[in-house]
Amino acid sequence: MEVARRRGFVWPSSEIYGSIAGFIDYGPLGAMLKRNVENLWRSFYVFQEGYYEIECPTVGNEAIFVASGHVKEFADKMVQCPHCGEYLRADHIAEENGIENAGTLSAEALQAALYELPCPSCKEPLGEAGVFAFNLMFQTTIGPGSQRKGYLRPETAQGIFTDFSRLLRFYRDKLPFGAVQIGKSYRNEISPRQGMIRLREFSQAEAEIFVHPDRKDHPAFHRYADYTAPLLTIARQLDGQEPAAMTMRAAVDEGVIANEYVAYYIALTHRILTAIGVDPVKLRFRQHLIDERAHYAADCWDAEVYSGRFGWVEIVGIADRTNYDLRSHAGHSGTSMTVFMPYDEPKRVVKRRITADMGVLGPRYRGKAKAIADALAASEPGEDGARVTVDGEEFFIPADLYQVREEEVEVRGEEVMPHVIEPSYGIDRMIYVALEHSYAEEEVEGEIRKVLRLPPAVAPIQVAVFPLMNRDGLETVAQTITERLTQCRILAQYDDSGAIGRRYRRQDEVGTPFAVTVDYETLEDNTVTVRDRDSMEQVRIPIERLPEVLSALISGAATFREIRA
Ligand code: GAP
């Protein structure tokens, strides 16, 4: 983090006024790294999967979050130290003191567990300090003098759900389809003491994939069927075992993962995380325990990455959320959130139609007659009549006040409410673990070399261009090369300050994978050296081949060893 701050990746926000925990600024290199990570994510979800990206406001009407359940449920358990007054996250204190799965404990159980534990700030025992639910949403009002309540979105997902009908039309009324959103989310975290891991404003990349509830076979499952990922299943957790590597096909066939969609996105997540520089040995997929999983979810897995500083950290959540979100929004908004699924062949079915005698019902029940007739149409009448409820009032309608007819009708299909598969990524956490896992200190020629081994696809600067000396025309050639590489959409940086060794070290520290050096030989034969950050080996290349060679190295189409051979 010291290198990250000093070299312009990330630092606390608004330091000149005293920064507030949970807010960070990305500096020039950090912002570039973030864009690259987001673009790599897009290359999979938007380009490979074909899920278009949308962009919704970060401020939302209260109604959205009432329907989504966030107003009522999106709370963490909080405790206030009776001695120093510090607000603390109750389950975190319990977990830091060895109580496992404290997040699943009730407020009362947590309160009892905290009794003898010390406050992390003043070290006094928390004693009888009460445990309360604290809603994590930032509330605001919309418009001047307005009473209209709004919230900063706590996740990007809700915009995709509220846009469901428009997206369905965009995708020509067919399932499956998906939409993604990358953007800021806000959570008023109680006590964010974990740097980039727990922020109050952070970026998420979420995909919502709408599938037929009975067809959860991914159409391109073959792509990842043989892909292996380390799975920490519920059973292995309960037995205290380590994760076991399994292919996605075996995990689905053996019922370990609920369906192909969830398995597919576990494999895809493994690919994305390792592609940004996460060490595969420190990556596992942990299945949510039954009491940890949302009651509506069919299956849920977290991609967890081991951090030397924070232990195992959740980076991505992958869930089969069934139709919970669409059902809630349909119920609260009164908008249909189903998809008409035509049958291959129309079917003839017998339907019962109940028609009320409005000539009698009208005068007898007046304003309620229409509602009673509607309720009657959906009722299950007995021999003497039907019992219906309207506005909480029960009515008995005798059998001579309606007619029951059975009719054969042609049905062309059915309305289906899709299920949602949701892979949800925390971009800032991805960046933190990529930085931590890429960072190394090694001894080279008696000196410590600090190096960020970021993969070329995400490195903020892809190529550094150095003139060996800042004279004799070397600098002009180096500047021309920098310009040429930038025109070829390679992120190149010209650097002529300090000794060449220092320039290499500076670029190693910020993760620049390749460095081009213009020397006196260049003036004679138009060749330059290309140095590989990781092996520190060099190769001589004609200037005109630089764009092609560097593009191949950056995209991974060629390795440095192949170029040297
Ligand atoms: N729509 C589902 C959802 O939002 P989540 O597990 O609450 O699920 C998804 O969040 C991801 O967002 C997490 O896995 C994590 O990487 C990231 N995230 C959540 N809260 C965060 C915070 N306070 N700071 C940074 N990242 C966070």
Side-chain angles (χ1 to χ4, degrees), residues 119-150:
C119 161
S121 280
C122 70
K123 312 293 175 215
E124 293 292 326
L126 289 165
E128 289 185 358
V131 171
F132 303 97
F134 174 75
N135 193 292
L136 297 186
M137 282 198 297
F138 284 100
Q139 193 181 310
T140 185
T141 50
I142 301 170
S146 158
Q147 294 307 307
R148 182 180 285 183
K149 216 192 263 180

PDB file of all heavy atoms in Angstrom, residues 119-150:
ATOM      1  N   CYS A 119     -13.200  -3.970  23.251  1.00  0.00           N
ATOM      2  CA  CYS A 119     -13.412  -3.022  22.152  1.00  0.00           C
ATOM      3  C   CYS A 119     -12.071  -2.871  21.426  1.00  0.00           C
ATOM      4  O   CYS A 119     -11.049  -2.655  22.088  1.00  0.00           O
ATOM      5  CB  CYS A 119     -13.873  -1.689  22.729  1.00  0.00           C
ATOM      6  SG  CYS A 119     -13.654  -0.308  21.599  1.00  0.00           S
ATOM      7  N   PRO A 120     -12.021  -2.972  20.084  1.00  0.00           N
ATOM      8  CA  PRO A 120     -10.725  -2.872  19.408  1.00  0.00           C
ATOM      9  C   PRO A 120     -10.094  -1.485  19.544  1.00  0.00           C
ATOM     10  O   PRO A 120      -8.890  -1.346  19.404  1.00  0.00           O
ATOM     11  CB  PRO A 120     -11.056  -3.171  17.941  1.00  0.00           C
ATOM     12  CG  PRO A 120     -12.523  -3.155  17.821  1.00  0.00           C
ATOM     13  CD  PRO A 120     -13.130  -3.254  19.173  1.00  0.00           C
ATOM     14  N   SER A 121     -10.902  -0.469  19.890  1.00  0.00           N
ATOM     15  CA  SER A 121     -10.329   0.871  20.022  1.00  0.00           C
ATOM     16  C   SER A 121      -9.743   1.110  21.414  1.00  0.00           C
ATOM     17  O   SER A 121      -8.584   1.463  21.557  1.00  0.00           O
ATOM     18  CB  SER A 121     -11.392   1.936  19.786  1.00  0.00           C
ATOM     19  OG  SER A 121     -11.581   2.089  18.433  1.00  0.00           O
ATOM     20  N   CYS A 122     -10.586   0.904  22.477  1.00  0.00           N
ATOM     21  CA  CYS A 122     -10.100   1.266  23.818  1.00  0.00           C
ATOM     22  C   CYS A 122      -9.733   0.051  24.662  1.00  0.00           C
ATOM     23  O   CYS A 122      -9.225   0.200  25.766  1.00  0.00           O
ATOM     24  CB  CYS A 122     -11.139   2.118  24.536  1.00  0.00           C
ATOM     25  SG  CYS A 122     -12.614   1.196  25.006  1.00  0.00           S
ATOM     26  N   LYS A 123      -9.996  -1.159  24.118  1.00  0.00           N
ATOM     27  CA  LYS A 123      -9.621  -2.427  24.774  1.00  0.00           C
ATOM     28  C   LYS A 123     -10.436  -2.748  26.034  1.00  0.00           C
ATOM     29  O   LYS A 123     -10.190  -3.748  26.699  1.00  0.00           O
ATOM     30  CB  LYS A 123      -8.120  -2.483  25.149  1.00  0.00           C
ATOM     31  CG  LYS A 123      -7.171  -2.073  24.028  1.00  0.00           C
ATOM     32  CD  LYS A 123      -7.190  -3.051  22.888  1.00  0.00           C
ATOM     33  CE  LYS A 123      -6.327  -2.578  21.724  1.00  0.00           C
ATOM     34  NZ  LYS A 123      -6.838  -2.914  20.439  1.00  0.00           N
ATOM     35  N   GLU A 124     -11.420  -1.925  26.380  1.00  0.00           N
ATOM     36  CA  GLU A 124     -12.272  -2.234  27.541  1.00  0.00           C
ATOM     37  C   GLU A 124     -13.303  -3.288  27.106  1.00  0.00           C
ATOM     38  O   GLU A 124     -13.707  -3.322  25.939  1.00  0.00           O
ATOM     39  CB  GLU A 124     -13.025  -0.973  27.997  1.00  0.00           C
ATOM     40  CG  GLU A 124     -12.156   0.119  28.574  1.00  0.00           C
ATOM     41  CD  GLU A 124     -11.541  -0.275  29.906  1.00  0.00           C
ATOM     42  OE1 GLU A 124     -12.190  -1.005  30.668  1.00  0.00           O
ATOM     43  OE2 GLU A 124     -10.383   0.121  30.143  1.00  0.00           O
ATOM     44  N   PRO A 125     -13.788  -4.138  28.027  1.00  0.00           N
ATOM     45  CA  PRO A 125     -14.785  -5.145  27.629  1.00  0.00           C
ATOM     46  C   PRO A 125     -16.101  -4.485  27.188  1.00  0.00           C
ATOM     47  O   PRO A 125     -16.519  -3.471  27.768  1.00  0.00           O
ATOM     48  CB  PRO A 125     -14.985  -5.991  28.886  1.00  0.00           C
ATOM     49  CG  PRO A 125     -14.346  -5.241  29.983  1.00  0.00           C
ATOM     50  CD  PRO A 125     -13.393  -4.233  29.420  1.00  0.00           C
ATOM     51  N   LEU A 126     -16.729  -5.085  26.172  1.00  0.00           N
ATOM     52  CA  LEU A 126     -17.956  -4.462  25.626  1.00  0.00           C
ATOM     53  C   LEU A 126     -19.143  -4.621  26.572  1.00  0.00           C
ATOM     54  O   LEU A 126     -20.122  -3.877  26.490  1.00  0.00           O
ATOM     55  CB  LEU A 126     -18.275  -5.053  24.253  1.00  0.00           C
ATOM     56  CG  LEU A 126     -17.281  -4.613  23.169  1.00  0.00           C
ATOM     57  CD1 LEU A 126     -17.409  -5.481  21.930  1.00  0.00           C
ATOM     58  CD2 LEU A 126     -17.472  -3.149  22.816  1.00  0.00           C
ATOM     59  N   GLY A 127     -19.074  -5.609  27.469  1.00  0.00           N
ATOM     60  CA  GLY A 127     -20.095  -5.766  28.504  1.00  0.00           C
ATOM     61  C   GLY A 127     -21.498  -5.863  27.941  1.00  0.00           C
ATOM     62  O   GLY A 127     -21.741  -6.614  26.995  1.00  0.00           O
ATOM     63  N   GLU A 128     -22.413  -5.072  28.504  1.00  0.00           N
ATOM     64  CA  GLU A 128     -23.814  -5.215  28.106  1.00  0.00           C
ATOM     65  C   GLU A 128     -24.220  -4.297  26.967  1.00  0.00           C
ATOM     66  O   GLU A 128     -25.409  -4.031  26.768  1.00  0.00           O
ATOM     67  CB  GLU A 128     -24.701  -4.977  29.327  1.00  0.00           C
ATOM     68  CG  GLU A 128     -24.571  -6.148  30.281  1.00  0.00           C
ATOM     69  CD  GLU A 128     -25.505  -6.073  31.455  1.00  0.00           C
ATOM     70  OE1 GLU A 128     -26.236  -5.088  31.561  1.00  0.00           O
ATOM     71  OE2 GLU A 128     -25.483  -7.010  32.253  1.00  0.00           O
ATOM     72  N   ALA A 129     -23.241  -3.803  26.234  1.00  0.00           N
ATOM     73  CA  ALA A 129     -23.565  -2.916  25.103  1.00  0.00           C
ATOM     74  C   ALA A 129     -24.554  -3.636  24.179  1.00  0.00           C
ATOM     75  O   ALA A 129     -24.346  -4.791  23.817  1.00  0.00           O
ATOM     76  CB  ALA A 129     -22.295  -2.578  24.345  1.00  0.00           C
ATOM     77  N   GLY A 130     -25.640  -2.974  23.830  1.00  0.00           N
ATOM     78  CA  GLY A 130     -26.689  -3.595  23.011  1.00  0.00           C
ATOM     79  C   GLY A 130     -26.260  -3.752  21.551  1.00  0.00           C
ATOM     80  O   GLY A 130     -25.471  -2.957  21.046  1.00  0.00           O
ATOM     81  N   VAL A 131     -26.787  -4.785  20.897  1.00  0.00           N
ATOM     82  CA  VAL A 131     -26.509  -4.997  19.468  1.00  0.00           C
ATOM     83  C   VAL A 131     -27.744  -4.547  18.685  1.00  0.00           C
ATOM     84  O   VAL A 131     -28.862  -4.985  18.972  1.00  0.00           O
ATOM     85  CB  VAL A 131     -26.181  -6.488  19.199  1.00  0.00           C
ATOM     86  CG1 VAL A 131     -26.109  -6.772  17.709  1.00  0.00           C
ATOM     87  CG2 VAL A 131     -24.863  -6.857  19.872  1.00  0.00           C
ATOM     88  N   PHE A 132     -27.550  -3.640  17.717  1.00  0.00           N
ATOM     89  CA  PHE A 132     -28.673  -3.077  16.951  1.00  0.00           C
ATOM     90  C   PHE A 132     -28.471  -3.317  15.461  1.00  0.00           C
ATOM     91  O   PHE A 132     -27.343  -3.445  14.998  1.00  0.00           O
ATOM     92  CB  PHE A 132     -28.749  -1.553  17.146  1.00  0.00           C
ATOM     93  CG  PHE A 132     -28.887  -1.153  18.570  1.00  0.00           C
ATOM     94  CD1 PHE A 132     -27.777  -0.785  19.314  1.00  0.00           C
ATOM     95  CD2 PHE A 132     -30.139  -1.164  19.188  1.00  0.00           C
ATOM     96  CE1 PHE A 132     -27.893  -0.427  20.641  1.00  0.00           C
ATOM     97  CE2 PHE A 132     -30.258  -0.804  20.519  1.00  0.00           C
ATOM     98  CZ  PHE A 132     -29.137  -0.431  21.250  1.00  0.00           C
ATOM     99  N   ALA A 133     -29.584  -3.292  14.728  1.00  0.00           N
ATOM    100  CA  ALA A 133     -29.484  -3.366  13.266  1.00  0.00           C
ATOM    101  C   ALA A 133     -29.294  -1.942  12.735  1.00  0.00           C
ATOM    102  O   ALA A 133     -29.996  -1.024  13.153  1.00  0.00           O
ATOM    103  CB  ALA A 133     -30.758  -3.973  12.699  1.00  0.00           C
ATOM    104  N   PHE A 134     -28.319  -1.766  11.847  1.00  0.00           N
ATOM    105  CA  PHE A 134     -28.055  -0.440  11.261  1.00  0.00           C
ATOM    106  C   PHE A 134     -28.188  -0.558   9.747  1.00  0.00           C
ATOM    107  O   PHE A 134     -27.441  -1.320   9.109  1.00  0.00           O
ATOM    108  CB  PHE A 134     -26.642   0.018  11.655  1.00  0.00           C
ATOM    109  CG  PHE A 134     -26.213   1.293  10.981  1.00  0.00           C
ATOM    110  CD1 PHE A 134     -26.728   2.518  11.390  1.00  0.00           C
ATOM    111  CD2 PHE A 134     -25.299   1.279   9.919  1.00  0.00           C
ATOM    112  CE1 PHE A 134     -26.332   3.698  10.759  1.00  0.00           C
ATOM    113  CE2 PHE A 134     -24.903   2.446   9.295  1.00  0.00           C
ATOM    114  CZ  PHE A 134     -25.427   3.654   9.722  1.00  0.00           C
ATOM    115  N   ASN A 135     -29.156   0.175   9.168  1.00  0.00           N
ATOM    116  CA  ASN A 135     -29.354   0.086   7.715  1.00  0.00           C
ATOM    117  C   ASN A 135     -28.193   0.762   6.998  1.00  0.00           C
ATOM    118  O   ASN A 135     -27.798   1.873   7.338  1.00  0.00           O
ATOM    119  CB  ASN A 135     -30.679   0.728   7.299  1.00  0.00           C
ATOM    120  CG  ASN A 135     -31.024   0.352   5.875  1.00  0.00           C
ATOM    121  OD1 ASN A 135     -30.351   0.768   4.931  1.00  0.00           O
ATOM    122  ND2 ASN A 135     -32.044  -0.465   5.708  1.00  0.00           N
ATOM    123  N   LEU A 136     -27.651   0.062   5.989  1.00  0.00           N
ATOM    124  CA  LEU A 136     -26.420   0.524   5.344  1.00  0.00           C
ATOM    125  C   LEU A 136     -26.649   1.491   4.183  1.00  0.00           C
ATOM    126  O   LEU A 136     -25.685   1.943   3.569  1.00  0.00           O
ATOM    127  CB  LEU A 136     -25.638  -0.681   4.811  1.00  0.00           C
ATOM    128  CG  LEU A 136     -25.141  -1.677   5.845  1.00  0.00           C
ATOM    129  CD1 LEU A 136     -24.273  -2.728   5.182  1.00  0.00           C
ATOM    130  CD2 LEU A 136     -24.343  -0.984   6.930  1.00  0.00           C
ATOM    131  N   MET A 137     -27.911   1.802   3.874  1.00  0.00           N
ATOM    132  CA  MET A 137     -28.110   2.679   2.709  1.00  0.00           C
ATOM    133  C   MET A 137     -27.952   4.143   3.086  1.00  0.00           C
ATOM    134  O   MET A 137     -28.385   4.580   4.142  1.00  0.00           O
ATOM    135  CB  MET A 137     -29.480   2.432   2.101  1.00  0.00           C
ATOM    136  CG  MET A 137     -29.494   1.175   1.254  1.00  0.00           C
ATOM    137  SD  MET A 137     -30.896   1.152   0.156  1.00  0.00           S
ATOM    138  CE  MET A 137     -32.235   1.132   1.285  1.00  0.00           C
ATOM    139  N   PHE A 138     -27.346   4.912   2.167  1.00  0.00           N
ATOM    140  CA  PHE A 138     -27.275   6.370   2.308  1.00  0.00           C
ATOM    141  C   PHE A 138     -28.606   6.923   1.819  1.00  0.00           C
ATOM    142  O   PHE A 138     -28.999   6.677   0.667  1.00  0.00           O
ATOM    143  CB  PHE A 138     -26.171   6.952   1.414  1.00  0.00           C
ATOM    144  CG  PHE A 138     -24.776   6.747   1.937  1.00  0.00           C
ATOM    145  CD1 PHE A 138     -23.982   5.726   1.440  1.00  0.00           C
ATOM    146  CD2 PHE A 138     -24.237   7.607   2.882  1.00  0.00           C
ATOM    147  CE1 PHE A 138     -22.680   5.555   1.888  1.00  0.00           C
ATOM    148  CE2 PHE A 138     -22.933   7.442   3.334  1.00  0.00           C
ATOM    149  CZ  PHE A 138     -22.157   6.416   2.835  1.00  0.00           C
ATOM    150  N   GLN A 139     -29.261   7.698   2.675  1.00  0.00           N
ATOM    151  CA  GLN A 139     -30.571   8.238   2.300  1.00  0.00           C
ATOM    152  C   GLN A 139     -30.411   9.670   1.813  1.00  0.00           C
ATOM    153  O   GLN A 139     -29.517  10.387   2.249  1.00  0.00           O
ATOM    154  CB  GLN A 139     -31.450   8.197   3.545  1.00  0.00           C
ATOM    155  CG  GLN A 139     -32.906   8.431   3.271  1.00  0.00           C
ATOM    156  CD  GLN A 139     -33.698   8.405   4.571  1.00  0.00           C
ATOM    157  OE1 GLN A 139     -33.554   7.483   5.365  1.00  0.00           O
ATOM    158  NE2 GLN A 139     -34.507   9.408   4.780  1.00  0.00           N
ATOM    159  N   THR A 140     -31.279  10.095   0.901  1.00  0.00           N
ATOM    160  CA  THR A 140     -31.247  11.480   0.450  1.00  0.00           C
ATOM    161  C   THR A 140     -32.680  11.917   0.126  1.00  0.00           C
ATOM    162  O   THR A 140     -33.609  11.108   0.201  1.00  0.00           O
ATOM    163  CB  THR A 140     -30.322  11.627  -0.780  1.00  0.00           C
ATOM    164  OG1 THR A 140     -30.220  13.006  -1.122  1.00  0.00           O
ATOM    165  CG2 THR A 140     -30.818  10.856  -1.985  1.00  0.00           C
ATOM    166  N   THR A 141     -32.860  13.214  -0.176  1.00  0.00           N
ATOM    167  CA  THR A 141     -34.168  13.644  -0.684  1.00  0.00           C
ATOM    168  C   THR A 141     -33.963  14.102  -2.114  1.00  0.00           C
ATOM    169  O   THR A 141     -32.899  14.619  -2.451  1.00  0.00           O
ATOM    170  CB  THR A 141     -34.767  14.790   0.143  1.00  0.00           C
ATOM    171  OG1 THR A 141     -33.778  15.798   0.295  1.00  0.00           O
ATOM    172  CG2 THR A 141     -35.234  14.327   1.501  1.00  0.00           C
ATOM    173  N   ILE A 142     -34.993  13.943  -2.927  1.00  0.00           N
ATOM    174  CA  ILE A 142     -34.850  14.262  -4.350  1.00  0.00           C
ATOM    175  C   ILE A 142     -35.642  15.535  -4.651  1.00  0.00           C
ATOM    176  O   ILE A 142     -36.841  15.591  -4.392  1.00  0.00           O
ATOM    177  CB  ILE A 142     -35.337  13.074  -5.214  1.00  0.00           C
ATOM    178  CG1 ILE A 142     -34.522  11.816  -4.866  1.00  0.00           C
ATOM    179  CG2 ILE A 142     -35.216  13.394  -6.701  1.00  0.00           C
ATOM    180  CD1 ILE A 142     -35.038  10.534  -5.460  1.00  0.00           C
ATOM    181  N   GLY A 143     -34.953  16.542  -5.174  1.00  0.00           N
ATOM    182  CA  GLY A 143     -35.612  17.800  -5.531  1.00  0.00           C
ATOM    183  C   GLY A 143     -35.661  18.762  -4.366  1.00  0.00           C
ATOM    184  O   GLY A 143     -35.707  18.329  -3.205  1.00  0.00           O
ATOM    185  N   PRO A 144     -35.645  20.098  -4.657  1.00  0.00           N
ATOM    186  CA  PRO A 144     -35.646  21.085  -3.570  1.00  0.00           C
ATOM    187  C   PRO A 144     -36.962  21.049  -2.803  1.00  0.00           C
ATOM    188  O   PRO A 144     -38.031  20.942  -3.404  1.00  0.00           O
ATOM    189  CB  PRO A 144     -35.474  22.426  -4.299  1.00  0.00           C
ATOM    190  CG  PRO A 144     -35.877  22.165  -5.705  1.00  0.00           C
ATOM    191  CD  PRO A 144     -35.649  20.719  -5.986  1.00  0.00           C
ATOM    192  N   GLY A 145     -36.856  21.132  -1.496  1.00  0.00           N
ATOM    193  CA  GLY A 145     -38.046  21.185  -0.641  1.00  0.00           C
ATOM    194  C   GLY A 145     -38.924  19.953  -0.775  1.00  0.00           C
ATOM    195  O   GLY A 145     -40.058  19.925  -0.313  1.00  0.00           O
ATOM    196  N   SER A 146     -38.384  18.947  -1.410  1.00  0.00           N
ATOM    197  CA  SER A 146     -39.221  17.786  -1.715  1.00  0.00           C
ATOM    198  C   SER A 146     -39.249  16.818  -0.532  1.00  0.00           C
ATOM    199  O   SER A 146     -38.289  16.705   0.219  1.00  0.00           O
ATOM    200  CB  SER A 146     -38.647  17.081  -2.931  1.00  0.00           C
ATOM    201  OG  SER A 146     -39.078  15.767  -2.964  1.00  0.00           O
ATOM    202  N   GLN A 147     -40.348  16.152  -0.423  1.00  0.00           N
ATOM    203  CA  GLN A 147     -40.454  15.121   0.600  1.00  0.00           C
ATOM    204  C   GLN A 147     -40.141  13.764   0.005  1.00  0.00           C
ATOM    205  O   GLN A 147     -40.285  12.747   0.647  1.00  0.00           O
ATOM    206  CB  GLN A 147     -41.876  15.110   1.173  1.00  0.00           C
ATOM    207  CG  GLN A 147     -42.221  16.366   1.938  1.00  0.00           C
ATOM    208  CD  GLN A 147     -41.203  16.688   3.016  1.00  0.00           C
ATOM    209  OE1 GLN A 147     -40.896  15.859   3.855  1.00  0.00           O
ATOM    210  NE2 GLN A 147     -40.647  17.895   2.969  1.00  0.00           N
ATOM    211  N   ARG A 148     -39.751  13.760  -1.302  1.00  0.00           N
ATOM    212  CA  ARG A 148     -39.541  12.459  -1.944  1.00  0.00           C
ATOM    213  C   ARG A 148     -38.207  11.857  -1.494  1.00  0.00           C
ATOM    214  O   ARG A 148     -37.160  12.441  -1.694  1.00  0.00           O
ATOM    215  CB  ARG A 148     -39.547  12.617  -3.464  1.00  0.00           C
ATOM    216  CG  ARG A 148     -39.387  11.271  -4.131  1.00  0.00           C
ATOM    217  CD  ARG A 148     -39.379  11.386  -5.594  1.00  0.00           C
ATOM    218  NE  ARG A 148     -40.719  11.633  -6.111  1.00  0.00           N
ATOM    219  CZ  ARG A 148     -40.976  11.724  -7.400  1.00  0.00           C
ATOM    220  NH1 ARG A 148     -40.018  11.616  -8.279  1.00  0.00           N
ATOM    221  NH2 ARG A 148     -42.207  11.941  -7.805  1.00  0.00           N
ATOM    222  N   LYS A 149     -38.314  10.696  -0.890  1.00  0.00           N
ATOM    223  CA  LYS A 149     -37.112  10.062  -0.339  1.00  0.00           C
ATOM    224  C   LYS A 149     -36.406   9.264  -1.426  1.00  0.00           C
ATOM    225  O   LYS A 149     -37.054   8.655  -2.281  1.00  0.00           O
ATOM    226  CB  LYS A 149     -37.562   9.109   0.770  1.00  0.00           C
ATOM    227  CG  LYS A 149     -36.585   9.065   1.936  1.00  0.00           C
ATOM    228  CD  LYS A 149     -36.913   7.916   2.835  1.00  0.00           C
ATOM    229  CE  LYS A 149     -37.763   8.311   4.032  1.00  0.00           C
ATOM    230  NZ  LYS A 149     -38.041   7.120   4.858  1.00  0.00           N
ATOM    231  N   GLY A 150     -35.095   9.297  -1.390  1.00  0.00           N
ATOM    232  CA  GLY A 150     -34.319   8.477  -2.320  1.00  0.00           C
ATOM    233  C   GLY A 150     -33.157   7.850  -1.584  1.00  0.00           C
ATOM    234  O   GLY A 150     -32.877   8.180  -0.424  1.00  0.00           O
TER     235      GLY A 150
END
